[in-house]
Each structure stands twice: as C-alpha cells, then as structure tokens.
Amino acid sequence: METTSRAVAQTPAAESGQQVPSARRTVDGYLEAPFPWYGLDEAFTGPRWLMQVGSAADGAVEHGSIGHGDEPSVRHETAGEDRGRFAVVVTVAANPVRRSPDGTGVLEATSVSSAAWLAGVGLLSFTWPGQMDHSLRDDWLDQQTETAWVLADDLAGADWSTLSLPVDGVPTPFHYRESEFGWVLAGSTSQGVHVGAYGRGMSAYGLGFAMIKDIEAYA
C-alpha cells in the first residue's frame, strides 16, 4: 500500500502542545487546495473551526484539518480532568506517484494510510500526558508517532476494525481503532480525497461526513 512522506504529514505544535492559533485561523491555504474539503455533516450543530493545511514537496496543498466541538488543549491537564469533546476531520488529496516540478525527484503517492497516519499524529498532538516531565516528552512523542506510522501502514491488521459511516449520505467503510488517547478512523470518498478523523469525548459511531460547500464560512 502506498504511503505518504512523514515529512509532509507532521503537524506543528506550540511548546504547550496546543497548535499555534495564527497557523490555525487563516483560510488562505484551504482556498488554494484543488480538491474539496470534508467535515462533519449537518447532524453536528456545534462549533466548527479551521486548523491548518499541509503541503507536498512541490508546495501544492495536499491535506488539511477541520475541527468540531471544543478546541482541544493539553494545558494544565491533570489526571481525570475532562479534556473536552472534539472531532477533527482530515482531508487528504488522493495523489498518485508523480515527478516533482523540477524533474529531480518523485513525489510519493497518498492513500488511506496517509489519512490514518495524519489522524493518529493529530490525536497525539493533543493527548501527551500533562504530568510527564518535559525532558521525556520528545522521546514519548517520537515513540508514539512511530507507532502511529506502523499502525497506519497495516490497515488490515488486528488493531483496526471496520466501521460504516455516511459520506455525503452514502454508507462508506472506514478503518477504525481506539486507544487510551481517543479514536482514529480513515477511509476514502468518491470525490478524489481520503478522509481521516480523530477525537475524544465524542463517539465515532454516530458521525457522518459531508463535503464543505463554503470553507470561508469557517474562518
């Protein structure tokens, strides 16, 4: 199964573990994407907010995330604390292997595994243990990120189950897994994109996804 470059997929975060607000709020990158964005369908009536986009090595927008519910944070997190209810939807362009614009290299293909890994890493960015010593945090994140990569590259493995959820009203199969940090899922749409999602405090079983008609309304 083809997988995306790890360098493309990494999500920047502030020292606190919370994503940088200025990077999350701009709609410009979303408007540059040549593919449609997905979010939760109209059954979800809570807050919706932009996060940020990611680009391939040629600079083209390749993926991005839309948040739903409580904006997640790991600040001042303590054991047993309610960390909010949220779901983040990741849209990934379904790109084949292709030559870089300068002809010097090859841009890797994206796949459902790409969406699964982006979702797994996204969940980690908001769930590292707040009690952990900062000297251990980087090692923990590296270890968990590597685990997320291995899991995403083996969607047929025992760690994943199959969950059917509506996408634009059509029942669609997703790969789904749960962990102590929350849940992650990934699948494909008929519109030339892969969709990943992650969250906690909101059950994935009742979710549905739909193409976003006006991304500027989220800014």
Side-chain angles (χ1 to χ4, degrees), residues 44-49 67-70:
F44 177 79
T45 58
R48 300 171 183 247
W49 28 275
H68 306 75
D70 302 323

Side-chain angles (χ1 to χ4, degrees), residues 2-211:
E2 296 164 340
T3 51
T4 191
S5 167
R6 300 186 194 191
V8 171
Q10 185 64 47
T11 302
E15 178 63 24
S16 65
Q18 188 175 34
Q19 289 189 324
V20 182
S22 61
R24 189 175 60 231
R25 293 305 181 187
T26 178
V27 74
D28 294 349
Y30 293 87
L31 295 173
E32 294 173 4
F35 55 86
W37 295 103
Y38 272 78
L40 296 186
D41 62 19
E42 61 185 12
F44 177 79
T45 58
R48 300 171 183 247
W49 28 275
L50 297 177
M51 294 179 73
Q52 61 188 132
V53 302
S55 301
D58 62 355
V61 173
E62 190 168 70
H63 62 83
S65 302
I66 305 291
H68 306 75
D70 302 323
E71 295 196 41
S73 171
V74 295
R75 288 181 177 175
H76 311 302
E77 188 174 290
T78 58
E81 182 181 352
D82 181 3
R83 296 176 293 179
R85 300 172 65 255
F86 69 89
V88 174
V89 178
V90 183
T91 305
V92 184
N95 289 327
V97 175
R98 58 209 186 279
R99 280 282 179 185
S100 60
D102 59 9
T104 60
V106 174
L107 301 177
E108 294 183 53
T110 58
S111 67
V112 178
S113 287
S114 309
W117 188 68
L118 283 166
V121 172
L123 182 62
L124 288 174
S125 69
F126 294 117
T127 51
W128 67 279
Q131 313 93 296
M132 182 180 291
D133 186 278
H134 275 250
S135 63
L136 300 176
R137 180 190 170 210
D138 287 344
D139 288 340
W140 181 87
L141 282 174
D142 286 344
Q143 180 186 54
Q144 294 298 323
T145 298
E146 182 65 24
T147 298
W149 174 260
V150 172
L151 288 170
D153 210 32
D154 185 24
L155 294 177
D159 291 289
W160 298 89
S161 60
T162 301
L163 181 62
S164 179
L165 297 172
V167 177
D168 293 323
V170 178
T172 302
F174 283 87
H175 300 277
Y176 174 77
R177 68 178 176 88
E178 294 180 357
S179 72
E180 61 184 298
F181 309 116
W183 52 263
V184 172
L185 58 79
S188 295
T189 78
S190 61
Q191 300 299 317
V193 297
H194 306 296
V195 171
Y198 62 91
R200 65 178 182 226
M202 293 173 59
S203 173
Y205 287 84
L207 301 182
F209 304 95
M211 188 189 304

